[in-house]
Amino acid sequence: MVQSATELAEALARNAEAVCRYYLPNGRREGRYWMVGDVRNTPGRSMYVRLKGPDSGKGAAGKWTDAATAEHGDLLDIIRESCGLVDFKDIAEEARRFLSLPQPGSYTRAETRSAPAPTGSPEAARRLFAMAQPIAGTLAETYLRNRGISALHETEYLRFHPRCYYRPDEHSPTETWPALVAAVTDLEGRITGAHRTWLDPNGFSEATLGKAPIDTPRRAMGHLLGHAVRFGLPKDVMAAGEGIETMLSLRIVLPGMPMVAALSAAHLAAILFPASLHRLYIARDNDPAGDGAMETLIDRATESGIEAIPLMPRLGDFNEDLRQFGIDAVRDSVRSQITPDDVALFMSITGTAGREAERA
């Protein structure tokens, strides 16, 4: 039975081309090498993986070098980086799964490897986001459109990972699901965290709304307090709410208004305000947690000299309103709740954002 990291790396090397085709699909074979942009599966040609050679030593199969960064390693490193893994236990489980090898009951200290970043850290979040791809044409875009969201302008902080790892708890095996990955950023645009929404590869249903059939299809990592997923650059007016889908639903009827999704009621209450902000719309969720977040945020905004105006959905949140009542009903509801100046400024259907909203 293959036991150690070295033995796993050698077993993978004997199947080097198959490993590359699976974990680095943006590359291609050129002679004795697999060429790709980097170990995180970015398209390009600066990294090369040796496909033929001895099991170990100089010129061994499975060894790779990135000419642009001088990074190098073996196929276990490729699994780690392309899948966004940190713990060696997860890397070994994935390698054994790929090789159709039985999983051992435990891992010894001798098997551990250095990790690129601590589990759940901002650096781990940045690496996960870097490994994901733009949402256009992916299951993530399909998921959002099935939620009624078709105005997807200024969504560069949303990406898609086709094989994002999910573990129900520390004692359960790791699973693989496609995921919508959102970058959480500070006011300067630095990524401090990431949010994952695991998706059902079998498509949309009213029961799950397109989320994967797992216990916790949404999880966040990194430093979240005060930060948010951002759509557009905040100036003197912006809107803030809890969920990504909630804020993207509002963007359909307010295509030019900058918005942030804080990801939970507690984090919404704690968002940091841009220095230029004069008016804040609070897209609250219609539940007790939403009540508390709105009250706290109004108090904080008022103390900072910022006008705070609640936006109230008819149902649980604005995405539920959008799916149940349609765009026109949401537009009419929001129009009656924002200032006349902002109606004229942000509800215009001119420009790219407006055309997307109109098509929605």
Side-chain angles (χ1 to χ4, degrees):
M1 178 176 176
V2 176
Q3 295 286 351
S4 69
T6 299
E7 289 174 315
L8 273 176
E10 291 177 354
L12 290 167
R14 289 191 287 272
N15 300 274
E17 184 170 348
V19 172
C20 290
R21 289 189 181 279
Y22 187 81
Y23 295 102
L24 300 174
N26 287 329
R28 64 178 183 177
R29 178 170 182 166
E30 295 189 14
R32 298 169 60 86
Y33 299 94
W34 189 264
M35 308 295 293
V36 70
D38 59 36
V39 72
R40 298 161 195 92
N41 193 36
T42 303
R45 292 172 48 82
S46 66
M47 173 180 151
Y48 53 94
V49 186
R50 186 179 293 274
L51 301 179
K52 301 292 183 180
D55 287 346
S56 60
K58 186 176 180 180
K63 297 294 185 179
W64 59 269
T65 300
D66 190 328
T69 65
E71 291 180 286
H72 58 90
D74 60 24
L75 295 175
L76 284 172
D77 298 312
I78 286 175
I79 290 176
R80 181 190 70 198
E81 295 295 323
S82 65
C83 295
L85 301 175
V86 173
D87 296 332
F88 180 73
K89 180 177 184 294
D90 295 334
I91 301 167
E93 283 182 356
E94 173 60 16
R96 292 176 191 277
R97 184 199 63 78
F98 179 83
L99 294 166
S100 299
L101 296 173
Q103 300 289 349
S106 62
Y107 293 85
T108 66
R109 185 176 181 86
E111 290 182 281
T112 61
R113 285 190 161 208
S114 59
T119 304
S121 68
E123 179 59 25
R126 285 188 283 269
R127 295 176 84 89
L128 173 63
F129 188 72
M131 285 179 246
Q133 64 190 77
I135 63 172
T138 69
L139 181 62
E141 181 184 30
T142 301
Y143 162 76
L144 293 172
R145 293 190 184 279
N146 283 335
R147 296 288 296 259
I149 300 163
S150 57
L152 296 176
H153 56 290
E154 296 182 300
T155 52
E156 63 271 16
Y157 287 122
L158 299 182
R159 290 188 179 180
F160 173 68
H161 197 303
R163 299 186 304 273
C164 191
Y165 277 71
Y166 169 83
R167 180 183 286 178
D169 57 63
E170 62 179 339
H171 304 294
S172 301
T174 302
E175 303 173 10
T176 304
W177 295 89
L180 172 67
V181 180
V184 176
T185 65
D186 62 17
L187 292 175
E188 285 71 46
R190 292 185 293 263
I191 296 176
T192 65
H195 182 268
R196 294 148 293 174
T197 302
W198 281 278
L199 306 176
D200 188 344
N202 294 318
F204 181 87
S205 72
E206 286 298 328
T208 66
L209 298 179
K211 297 187 293 294
I214 53 181
D215 289 339
T216 53
R218 301 183 192 271
R219 286 183 184 173
M221 61 193 297
H223 294 167
L224 309 181
L225 192 63
H227 310 313
V229 180
R230 302 180 191 276
F231 308 106
L233 295 174
K235 297 179 182 177
D236 56 340
V237 179
M238 78 172 192
E242 295 182 36
I244 293 169
E245 296 86 354
T246 293
M247 303 316 294
L248 290 178
S249 298
L250 266 183
R251 292 213 91 199
I252 293 176
V253 299
L254 295 169
M257 184 179 290
M259 299 189 181
V260 301
L263 304 176
S264 73
H267 288 107
L268 175 61
I271 60 167
L272 299 176
F273 305 131
S276 60
L277 189 64
H278 294 156
R279 183 157 50 250
L280 174 68
Y281 290 102
I282 304 170
R284 51 79 50 91
D285 280 9
N286 202 358
D287 56 28
D291 291 339
M294 179 183 69
E295 292 170 4
T296 300
L297 197 50
I298 288 175
D299 289 344
R300 289 184 56 231
T302 302
E303 290 174 1
S304 299
I306 297 168
E307 180 185 13
I309 301 176
L311 297 179
M312 312 288 286
R314 292 169 61 182
L315 299 175
D317 58 45
F318 281 102
N319 184 250
E320 191 173 352
D321 283 7
L322 176 65
R323 290 183 289 106
Q324 293 297 320
F325 306 125
I327 294 169
D328 291 340
V330 173
R331 182 181 292 111
D332 291 344
S333 173
V334 171
R335 181 185 287 112
S336 69
Q337 298 183 66
I338 67 176
T339 69
D341 286 347
D342 290 339
V343 169
L345 184 61
F346 296 114
M347 281 195 161
S348 169
I349 60 171
T350 60
T352 301
R355 288 194 295 273
E356 285 204 37
E358 205 172 33
R359 285 198 297 272

